[in-house]
Amino acid sequence: MAPQRSLLVIAHRGASGYRPEHSRGAFELAFELGADAIEPDLVPTKDGVLVVRHENEISGTTDVAKHPEFAQRRTTKTVDGVTQNGWFTEDFTWAELRSLRAVERLPGIRSESATFDGVFPILRLIDLFGIIDAQDRPGVMVAEIKHATYFASIGLPMDELFAAEITGWATEDNLVVESFEQTVLGQIRGRGVPGRSVFLAEASGAPADLVARDGNDARSYADHLEVAGLGWLAEEVDGVSVEKKLLLADTGRAFVDRAHDSGLDVFTWTLRAENRFLGGGFRRGTDPAAWGDWRGEFRRILDVGVDGVFADQPDLVREVLAD
């Protein structure tokens, strides 16, 4: 069994329950609210700069639609089997993207956060180094590598870009690299990047790298989470990160125990206070924006013995741990 660590409280895209996700305000507030780590999602520009956005399609998280100079960049693309219409980071240079400002992705749920629309510019990966290093205690980056197979197919290899930017800052203690694609995790480790690696697993479907290689025969996420699959993962990664509904089920504790027995840490995502995101038994009332019994849900997840949790409101996790 892997050595047990104290619980890692990871601010999901920063304190994204209170500020527009992936903004400087969200990341700095996350540490103020007691987060141990911040989680940036990383996608590239066409000139190979890694920027901090949840997806490469940015119409929902920036004010790009209000920029007439970029109107002709709107297009339709299929990324990892999902077709989207909008503006994509790989069609912009960093010099162009830096003119955009972040907006709240869920204004109907998080109206207070939406009052910060237009305040914060887009960040690059390298901008986060200073935010983390400015803290009065050690901070950790949990970096998610997005759509690696897709970006490699258009000449933007995420392993190469990430290694080039992170080398010199990353250590074994301050970096965790995660992805839904195990291939890129191995490639990054092969480039000598220090730190831990974590495989992200959806509740359904199969990893994009395996689908690209094996088609309909691709091994599913569910297969990865069986006993044999956990053993295979443990040969190449340090942990597995799963949707919280897996841990809220009656079998949650048994899954965590199996993963620990395989030598893997277990992370889960995403702890959020609003009714819209809580499990059915923890919702209170019918307003999706109202906070439900978040304390009860958080406690149940923490009680199964996870090693790390992603949270939009990291201060609430701290409250439950203090209890």
Side-chain angles (χ1 to χ4, degrees):
M1 184 171 176
Q4 293 301 294
R5 303 178 178 86
S6 59
L7 183 85
L8 191 69
V9 179
I10 307 160
H12 181 240
R13 311 173 198 167
S16 55
Y18 306 115
R19 299 289 187 276
E21 64 185 42
H22 285 137
S23 65
R24 177 176 290 274
F27 288 126
E28 291 179 340
L29 180 60
F31 284 120
E32 292 177 23
L33 297 179
D36 302 305
I38 55 173
E39 184 237 10
D41 298 307
L42 302 175
V43 293
T45 65
K46 72 178 179 181
D47 51 346
V49 176
L50 292 181
V51 294
V52 183
R53 290 288 94 191
H54 177 228
E55 291 291 344
N56 52 328
E57 201 290 294
I58 55 173
S59 62
T61 59
T62 74
D63 62 357
V64 64
K66 295 182 179 180
H67 286 252
E69 69 272 27
F70 299 138
Q72 296 304 312
R73 305 281 180 94
R74 184 165 192 161
T75 188
T76 299
K77 297 188 181 189
T78 300
V79 180
D80 293 347
V82 178
T83 300
Q84 301 175 79
N85 179 268
W87 289 264
F88 297 80
T89 59
E90 65 268 26
D91 296 330
F92 293 80
T93 65
W94 165 243
E96 292 170 329
L97 282 184
R98 68 189 304 175
S99 68
L100 304 183
R101 294 295 180 268
V103 301
E104 172 54 48
R105 184 173 59 89
L106 302 165
I109 300 294
R110 293 172 173 168
S111 57
E112 184 174 344
S113 176
T115 65
F116 293 89
D117 284 2
V119 173
F120 303 109
I122 292 178
L123 296 174
R124 299 164 295 176
L125 168 62
I126 61 174
D127 295 322
L128 298 184
F129 303 161
I131 293 175
I132 295 173
D133 292 344
Q135 305 310 308
D136 58 6
R137 57 192 172 88
V140 176
M141 179 189 296
V142 181
E144 181 176 345
I145 308 300
K146 305 289 291 193
H147 307 302
T149 298
Y150 165 76
F151 286 126
S153 75
I154 60 172
L156 292 166
M158 291 294 284
D159 61 308
E160 180 180 332
L161 297 174
F162 182 72
E165 294 195 12
I166 205 79
T167 298
W169 180 84
T171 69
E172 290 293 337
D173 298 322
N174 70 5
L175 179 65
V176 178
V177 185
E178 60 177 2
S179 180
F180 287 99
E181 301 176 54
Q182 192 176 344
T183 300
V184 73
L185 295 176
Q187 291 169 336
I188 288 171
R189 178 163 285 181
R191 290 183 176 275
V193 174
R196 289 178 282 162
S197 58
V198 172
F199 178 69
L200 287 158
E202 296 267 17
S204 60
D209 53 340
L210 300 187
V211 172
R213 187 189 71 190
D214 302 328
N216 292 334
D217 294 328
R219 189 152 49 97
S220 69
Y221 286 116
D223 290 338
H224 284 80
L225 300 182
E226 297 294 336
V227 174
L230 292 171
W232 296 328
L233 284 173
E235 295 177 3
E236 298 186 15
V237 301
D238 303 296
V240 60
S241 186
V242 299
E243 292 188 55
K244 67 178 183 180
K245 64 183 179 182
L246 177 64
L247 304 185
L248 288 171
D250 292 340
T251 55
R253 166 70 75 169
F255 170 78
V256 172
D257 288 345
R258 287 198 303 272
H260 282 164
D261 288 343
S262 297
L264 295 166
D265 287 338
V266 180
F267 292 179
T268 191
W269 41 277
T270 303
L271 277 61
R272 295 163 162 145
E274 297 93 347
N275 276 326
R276 173 175 169 177
F277 307 112
L278 293 171
F282 299 100
R283 295 172 192 153
R284 296 294 180 265
T286 59
D287 181 0
W291 287 14
D293 182 18
W294 57 268
R295 193 181 297 272
E297 184 185 271
F298 291 13
R299 279 200 191 104
R300 181 160 177 175
I301 290 170
L302 297 176
D303 283 348
V304 302
V306 291
D307 303 284
V309 296
F310 293 84
D312 287 6
Q313 296 107 345
D315 54 322
L316 302 187
V317 180
R318 286 290 172 210
E319 282 190 34
V320 174
L321 289 172
D323 290 343

